[in-house]
Amino acid sequence: MAPIACFYERKHKLEAQIMCLLFLSALVGVTLPQYLFLLGLEYTSATFSCAFLNMVPVFTFIMALPFGIEKVNMKNKSGKAKVLGTFVCIGGALLLALYKGMPFIHPQSQHIANKATSTPPSAKLEKWIVGSILLTVGCLLWSSWFIIQAKISKKYPCQYSSTAILSLFAAIQSAITTLIIKGNSASWILKGKLEIMSVIYAGLVGSGLCYVAMSWCVKQRGPVFTSAFTPLIQIFVAVLDFSILKEEIYLGSIAGSALVIAGMYILLWGKSKEGEQCVPKDTQANPDVECQ
């Protein structure tokens, strides 16, 4: 990202306020969410963890209300749809956290797994709840990143430069966090080609190209619209998780995910209707003004 930023965006001035916002953006959008997500993944499963990412658009919408980025008018259908979608999505998240259910594909495997392991069901449930809490906090932090990024995009509309600086800050923060938590050098050593390829891919695609694309989308269409595409992650992960890793898909995860996705798209439907109502009014009052 840095060479591209130097070539295309070298004329833009970088202020101290933007640097502080980028440091905060790296902390709440990369360092802490990724660490909490990996912890939650350890306590639960890949499909379950990605199901919580569907809460990001709703959390983003709730956080955008106090800043005036989003508005709710309960007199219109669009405002009611936003509120309804929010409550449905929160209900789905609670179902995900509190109800695991039986395996959806092979119900007998749950009984066999319980016999094969010495871990009591109460301990498994406790790990499931702890993982859910970690994932929820991570989603809240990532939602706040979209709000911060919306502010950064207005003052510093340079996606490549901001992503390069954000990645640098995130690398420094992650290194300090690792030294505090691990305290030894063994965790820094990569073993095998798979670990090396995973780190390179995560850096180039996961933290590079993805954050450039998300920053551009936040600038063009706003934070709520950008975060609305997170359910695609769960769909891709569920297919790979089941087909390659042979992980079970549980009834609670399916039911909770369905509610979360339904609530999210009810909210987005309300947002789209609000935009349709807003544009004609603004164009009648002033043809040169467009509704945001």
Side-chain angles (χ1 to χ4, degrees):
M1 293 298 120
I4 299 173
C6 290
F7 184 77
Y8 287 104
E9 301 170 348
R10 60 181 181 272
K11 295 181 180 179
H12 292 269
K13 187 178 179 182
L14 189 63
E15 300 177 356
Q17 183 185 8
I18 301 299
M19 291 290 288
C20 293
L21 286 173
L22 287 171
F23 183 86
L24 180 63
S25 178
L27 185 65
V28 302
V30 182
T31 307
L32 292 178
Q34 287 189 3
Y35 177 69
L36 292 173
F37 185 81
L38 290 173
L39 281 180
L41 181 63
E42 183 180 347
Y43 281 104
T44 56
S45 67
T47 304
F48 182 87
S49 300
C50 289
F52 265 84
L53 293 177
N54 297 327
M55 288 295 297
V56 171
V58 175
F59 288 152
T60 305
F61 168 71
I62 295 172
M63 291 181 180
L65 289 174
F67 295 98
I69 301 174
E70 293 289 335
K71 297 180 181 180
V72 175
N73 186 0
M74 291 302 294
K75 294 180 180 180
N76 298 330
K77 289 182 179 180
S78 58
K80 294 177 181 178
K82 286 182 176 182
V83 175
L84 176 62
T86 301
F87 280 108
V88 171
C89 205
I90 292 172
L94 291 174
L95 184 62
L96 276 170
L98 302 177
Y99 177 67
K100 185 175 182 180
M102 297 296 294
F104 187 71
I105 306 298
H106 304 294
Q108 297 298 327
S109 63
Q110 178 73 17
H111 180 68
I112 296 170
N114 288 338
K115 283 188 174 182
T117 59
S118 57
T119 307
S122 58
K124 290 183 178 180
L125 179 61
E126 184 178 348
K127 287 183 65 177
W128 200 262
I129 293 174
V130 170
S132 300
I133 294 171
L134 292 171
L135 292 169
T136 302
V137 176
C139 288
L140 283 169
L141 289 171
W142 195 27
S143 299
S144 65
W145 176 85
F146 287 98
I147 306 299
I148 297 170
Q149 190 60 40
K151 186 174 182 180
I152 293 173
S153 297
K154 291 180 180 178
K155 294 186 176 182
Y156 187 69
C158 303
Q159 282 76 42
Y160 296 110
S161 300
S162 61
T163 303
I165 297 168
L166 181 143
S167 300
L168 175 63
F169 283 149
I172 296 170
Q173 293 166 358
S174 299
I176 295 172
T177 304
T178 304
L179 289 173
I180 294 172
I181 295 173
K182 296 294 182 181
N184 56 10
S185 58
S187 58
W188 294 84
I189 301 173
L190 298 177
K191 300 176 182 178
K193 294 181 180 179
L194 181 61
E195 290 188 3
I196 296 172
M197 290 176 63
S198 299
V199 170
I200 294 173
Y201 181 83
L204 291 176
V205 180
S207 298
L209 296 177
C210 286
Y211 276 90
V212 169
M214 286 190 295
S215 299
W216 182 83
C217 288
V218 168
K219 179 184 175 183
Q220 298 296 322
R221 298 298 299 272
V224 177
F225 176 86
T226 306
S227 60
F229 288 86
T230 51
L232 293 175
I233 299 174
Q234 185 187 357
I235 295 171
F236 296 145
V237 169
V239 173
L240 295 173
D241 200 18
F242 179 73
S243 60
I244 298 175
L245 300 178
K246 306 299 180 183
E247 289 282 350
E248 286 289 353
I249 300 175
Y250 292 93
L251 180 62
S253 297
I254 295 174
S257 299
L259 280 176
V260 169
I261 294 173
M264 186 196 64
Y265 282 110
I266 291 172
L267 186 152
L268 292 174
W269 178 85
K271 182 174 173 58
S272 66
K273 288 295 180 183
E274 185 180 58
E276 291 174 4
Q277 294 170 1
C278 188
V279 170
K281 291 181 181 179
D282 283 3
T283 51
Q284 288 176 5
N286 188 355
D288 298 327
V289 178
E290 294 182 359
C291 179
Q292 300 293 329

